[in-house]
Amino acid sequence: MTTIPFTPDMTLRPEVTAFFDAPTNTISYVVKDLKSLSCAVIDSVMDIDYAAGRITYDGADKIIAFITEQGLKLEWLIETHVHADHLSAAPYIQSKLGGKLGIGENIVTVQETFGKIFNEGTEFQRDGSQFDRLFKDGDSYQIGGMTARVMHTPGHTPACMTHTIGDASFVGDTLFMPDGGSARADFPGGDARTLYRSIQRVLALPREMRLFMCHDYGPNGRDIQWETTVGDEIDHNIHVGKGTDEDSFVAMREARDATLAMPKLIIPSLQVNMRAGQLPPKDEDGKTFLKVPINGL
C-alpha cells in the first residue's frame, strides 16, 4: 500500500504565482500565505548564455520585483531537487531578500556522485552545508501561518522532494502535465522503478490536490501549462494513468530514456546547483570557470 507521511490540510489554499522561463521551459513559483505577507520561492532560475559564458538574472529580478512590489516577506527558497536543465538563482534572490534555502537531505548523495564526475577537490564540501536546511521525508516548515510538508519522491534524482502546502503540491520533475507523462530516470542516481513508486506516493494525495509542475514543453504544440490535479493525473497521465503497472512503466521509461539526449545545460547546471546555486570558486586570478568532463556523463 502506498503511503504518504502526513495528512494534507485541503482547507488551506495558498496563493500561487507562476513565472515561466522560456529558454529552459522551467516554472518558478512564489507561494504566499493568505493570512500574512510571508512567502516562499520554489525552483528559481538564473539565466546563462552558455556559448558566451555569461550569467544574468533577468528572471530572478522579476521574482524579486514581484515580492518587493507586493510587500512580501521571503521566508524560504526551496529547491525540489538538483536541476540538470537550469541553474538556480536562489543565492542571488537570498542576497536581495533573505530567507532560508532548503533541499532534500539526499543532496549529499548527489554531491558525492557529481563531485567525482567533475573532479572537485577536497575543498568542495559534500555534506549539504551549502544549504540552510536539509529535509527528511515527512519534515515540515512554516511559511507564515502555513505548514509546508515534505515528501521524499526520488527516481529522477536521489534528492527529489515534493512540497505540499495546503491543497498545493510542488512535484519538481517527478511528474509532468498528463499529456507530458513523467521525468526521465537515467541520470546518475536515477532509477525508473524508484520513480514509479514515488509517483504512486504523489497520486495517493487527495484527488483534488493541485499539482504544480517544474517544467512544461507544450506537447503537440499546445500552450504552456503548469497546474493540474491528482485526479487528472490518475485519469489521464500518458505514462502512469489508468492504473499502469510498475513493470510496464519501467520498461517504457527505460526504453524512452535510452533515446533522449542530455539536457543542453546539464554541465553548468549540475556544477552550480550542487553548490546551492553558487558558482565554482574563483581561481588565483579572480576568474570563474566551469569544467567539461569528457565522456563523464
Side-chain angles (χ1 to χ4, degrees), residues 5-242:
F6 55 85
T7 300
D9 179 4
M10 297 299 290
T11 66
L12 177 64
R13 188 177 179 86
E15 182 179 309
V16 179
T17 303
F19 297 80
F20 178 65
D21 180 69
T24 63
N25 288 84
T26 303
I27 303 97
S28 305
Y29 299 97
V30 174
V31 187
K32 180 187 174 297
D33 178 17
L34 292 178
K35 295 183 179 180
S36 74
L37 294 175
S38 297
C39 71
V41 169
I42 298 178
D43 290 335
S44 60
V45 177
M46 176 168 63
D47 305 301
I48 182 171
D49 182 339
Y50 195 23
R54 185 170 294 111
I55 295 289
T56 55
Y57 299 95
D58 294 344
D61 284 336
K62 291 177 182 177
I63 293 175
I64 291 169
F66 174 82
I67 291 173
T68 302
E69 290 165 3
Q70 298 292 317
L72 305 182
K73 177 186 177 184
L74 181 58
E75 296 193 346
W76 285 96
L77 298 112
I78 299 297
E79 299 294 328
T80 55
H81 62 292
V82 176
H83 309 278
D85 42 25
H86 73 269
L87 286 67
S88 170
Y92 174 76
I93 297 174
Q94 188 179 44
S95 72
K96 304 293 184 180
L97 299 176
K100 295 180 180 180
L101 177 54
I103 198 169
E105 64 175 344
N106 280 1
I107 177 63
V108 298
T109 301
V110 177
Q111 289 176 329
E112 182 64 29
T113 298
F114 289 104
K116 292 177 180 177
I117 289 174
F118 289 107
N119 194 29
E120 299 292 347
T122 55
E123 68 275 8
F124 172 56
Q125 299 299 311
R126 296 163 169 83
D127 58 1
S129 58
Q130 300 89 342
F131 297 83
D132 298 310
R133 174 83 180 270
L134 303 183
F135 297 112
K136 296 182 173 68
D137 187 52
D139 274 355
S140 65
Y141 58 97
Q142 295 297 124
I143 306 169
M146 301 188 301
T147 299
R149 300 282 190 166
V150 186
M151 184 164 61
H152 188 209
T153 47
H156 174 60
T157 79
C160 289
M161 308 291 279
T162 292
H163 292 255
T164 297
I165 309 162
D167 76 337
S169 288
F170 300 85
V171 299
D173 287 7
T174 299
L175 274 171
F176 293 155
M177 295 294 292
D179 60 348
S182 60
R184 64 194 299 167
D186 61 331
F187 294 152
D191 180 76
R193 196 168 297 277
T194 300
L195 177 61
Y196 179 87
R197 295 173 184 177
S198 293
I199 289 172
Q200 299 312 305
R201 297 189 89 193
V202 174
L203 298 184
L205 293 164
R207 281 183 62 90
E208 63 272 23
M209 174 69 70
R210 294 185 291 161
L211 300 181
F212 292 89
M213 311 294 111
C214 185
H215 296 285
D216 188 65
Y217 301 93
N220 301 313
R222 69 152 168 76
D223 291 341
I224 297 298
Q225 299 175 12
W226 48 75
E227 179 181 348
T228 183
T229 65
V230 166
D232 284 340
E233 294 282 14
I234 291 172
D235 295 340
H236 303 296
N237 187 283
I238 60 173
H239 292 169
V240 293
K242 297 183 174 66

